[in-house]
Amino acid sequence: MAVPWPVLLLALPVFFLGAFVWAVFEHFLTADVPATMQQRAKLEPCTGNILEKLGICSMPKFVRFLHDSLRIKKDPELVVTDLRFGTIPVRLFQPKAASSRRRRGIISYHGGGSVFGSLDCYHGLCNHLVQETDSVLLMIGYRMVPDHHSPAIFHDHINASIYFLKALETYGVDPSTVVVCGESIGGAAAATITQALVGRSDLPRIRAQVLVYPVVQAFCLQLPSFQQNQNVPFLSQKFMVTALCNYLAIDLSWRDAILNSSCVPPDVWRKYEKWLSPDNVPKKFKKRGFQPWSLEVSSLLADDEIIAQLPEAFLVSCENDILRDDSLLYKKRLEDQGVRVTWYHLEDGFHGSLIFFDKKALSFPCSLKIVNTVVYVKGI
């Protein structure tokens, strides 16, 4: 017996309403917004995740939509120029006011997990850094997934960085004051490029590295912070592993192998265990639900002789971040080789909070704390 079309018309809205209610209900059951986070109500809806569960739009596409809808505000005190170093898009920020001396240089690498993020998205942050530090800042764009994968992304970062370092005089930058700065995967780029440039006599030496909740390893995913914060916005365990697979062009069927680190040979773990073991994470960071886990493999790629030559570092970590312990491990790694480290930890911070600092209603107290600390960090 055929169902009358008026009944179908009435049933469709009920069905979609039911699906939406289910997605919201399921989201609140699985999402974990820690009570220690200030203004946590702003994070709890996580609209992008709900739309993804409804099959309407993936979370990365939703974030890209938000990025594309941002309006760039022009600052009358700055000269902002879009350039291309070869095929690599970059944006140069320079104070308009004349200076009697060469200015500090900042090379900035944006976050977004190689999935989203853009020059436009980080425009406001770069504006603020240039104004507050009276610096010349270069923000580097790069090819992203799904069209491009590693090592293309690394090549874009390092090639643009070298191009800029060879042309510092053109941009009025003091070669002895260049700082690299990055957030999340941009922090990974800053750390990796600083290591790659060690010993280059043809280039100015990097003065310092500013790493805001960086990714410094991607093989040991059972550290305390990975267990404690696996469902905390905006970097869940599921999204991180998916982004990692896309970045490395690995099939998603490897997800479980990546999570338990069974995809890396045991001899590699034996070589690097002393740097990546959870034993290196201070006890106070293990109190919130950490279960000891038998590690077999993981790695940090840089040898001791490279680490020992790195410039001083400023590290920012957030308590409610799956990558919190990456910063703690890298801090210890640097300090063990005599590298000076300034560490700033936010108990109410979460991954991705930096980008919200100038978003008014969407801003969080921890967002402004990070920016202010980066701007006024002593000695850098």
Side-chain angles (χ1 to χ4, degrees):
M1 178 178 171
V3 178
W5 66 265
V7 175
L8 288 174
L9 289 178
L10 290 173
L12 283 174
V14 174
F15 171 79
F16 286 116
L17 177 61
F20 178 77
V21 171
W22 169 84
V24 173
F25 180 72
E26 195 268 344
H27 164 72
F28 279 101
L29 285 178
T30 57
D32 179 18
V33 182
T36 57
M37 295 171 64
Q38 297 186 45
Q39 299 183 357
R40 60 198 299 266
K42 293 181 183 179
L43 279 177
E44 286 177 336
C46 290
T47 308
N49 286 338
I50 294 174
L51 294 178
E52 185 171 72
K53 290 170 183 176
L54 285 170
I56 296 173
C57 177
S58 69
M59 191 270 283
K61 286 184 177 179
F62 177 74
V63 175
R64 285 174 183 164
F65 167 77
L66 291 180
H67 287 180
D68 292 340
S69 64
L70 294 174
R71 296 181 62 184
I72 296 177
K73 295 181 180 179
K74 293 184 178 181
D75 192 310
E77 297 181 0
L78 301 181
V79 176
V80 179
T81 311
D82 284 326
L83 303 168
R84 280 192 176 269
F85 291 172
T87 61
I88 306 165
V90 299
R91 186 166 293 173
L92 185 70
F93 297 77
Q94 297 171 288
K96 272 187 179 178
S99 176
S100 59
R101 56 178 177 79
R102 292 184 179 181
R103 289 184 164 97
R104 170 168 46 182
I106 301 175
I107 304 177
S108 175
Y109 312 94
H110 71 71
S114 77
V115 178
F116 43 75
S118 65
L119 299 179
D120 288 350
C121 180
Y122 285 77
H123 186 98
L125 176 61
C126 292
N127 258 3
H128 184 78
L129 289 177
V130 171
Q131 284 182 328
E132 296 298 319
T133 63
D134 191 34
S135 302
V136 174
L137 184 149
L138 180 79
M139 179 168 52
I140 299 175
Y142 56 92
R143 292 170 288 177
M144 295 192 288
V145 298
D147 299 319
H148 304 279
H149 309 275
S150 176
I153 295 169
F154 168 74
H155 288 162
D156 287 353
H157 280 137
I158 194 163
N159 289 336
S161 299
I162 291 173
Y163 190 104
F164 182 65
L165 289 170
K166 287 184 174 180
L168 295 180
E169 186 176 347
T170 303
Y171 304 114
V173 174
D174 180 348
S176 67
T177 63
V178 178
V179 174
V180 296
C181 179
E183 176 212 26
S184 189
I185 194 173
T192 303
I193 287 165
T194 304
Q195 292 178 8
L197 297 181
V198 163
R200 288 283 299 260
S201 59
D202 60 324
L203 297 173
R205 189 175 187 272
I206 300 299
R207 167 69 182 83
Q209 48 186 326
V210 178
L211 313 176
V212 179
Y213 39 78
V215 185
V216 296
Q217 61 87 28
F219 294 105
C220 181
L221 305 188
Q222 290 293 334
L223 293 166
S225 62
F226 280 88
Q227 294 186 20
Q228 297 163 352
N229 301 309
Q230 59 183 295
N231 292 314
V232 175
F234 285 93
L235 185 62
S236 66
Q237 181 190 82
K238 178 181 178 182
F239 177 70
M240 179 174 176
V241 176
T242 301
L244 176 62
C245 288
N246 288 332
Y247 178 75
L248 298 175
I250 298 173
D251 191 271
L252 286 174
S253 61
W254 283 82
R255 180 178 180 274
D256 290 341
I258 291 172
L259 282 173
N260 62 34
S261 297
S262 61
C263 57
V264 181
D267 60 319
V268 176
W269 166 247
R270 284 192 293 270
K271 180 178 179 180
Y272 297 109
E273 179 179 14
K274 59 184 177 181
W275 301 329
L276 280 170
S277 170
D279 293 341
N280 292 326
V281 177
K283 289 183 179 179
K284 70 175 183 177
F285 293 103
K286 299 178 184 177
K287 294 178 180 178
R288 189 162 47 93
F290 170 61
Q291 296 296 322
W293 180 70
S294 178
L295 291 172
E296 294 180 358
V297 289
S298 198
S299 71
L300 278 180
L301 301 180
D303 293 331
D304 286 349
E305 53 266 33
I306 297 294
I307 296 292
Q309 297 180 69
L310 294 177
E312 65 179 289
F314 177 66
L315 276 167
V316 175
S317 61
C318 293
E319 179 63 30
N320 310 294
D321 180 8
I322 199 170
L323 294 179
R324 180 198 67 205
D325 294 346
D326 273 31
S327 292
L328 300 180
L329 293 180
Y330 202 53
K331 174 179 179 291
K332 184 178 188 302
R333 182 86 170 89
L334 293 171
E335 290 176 336
D336 285 350
Q337 292 301 315
V339 179
R340 180 188 171 195
V341 178
T342 302
W343 174 50
Y344 183 61
H345 182 69
L346 293 99
E347 292 291 341
D348 63 331
F350 60 94
H351 195 89
S353 53
L354 174 63
I355 199 61
F356 292 102
F357 96 99
D358 62 342
K359 301 301 186 290
K360 297 182 180 179
L362 291 177
S363 185
F364 295 81
C366 60
S367 309
L368 193 57
K369 289 177 188 175
I370 295 175
V371 174
N372 287 341
T373 305
V374 169
V375 167
Y376 298 113
V377 60
K378 295 181 180 179
I380 292 180

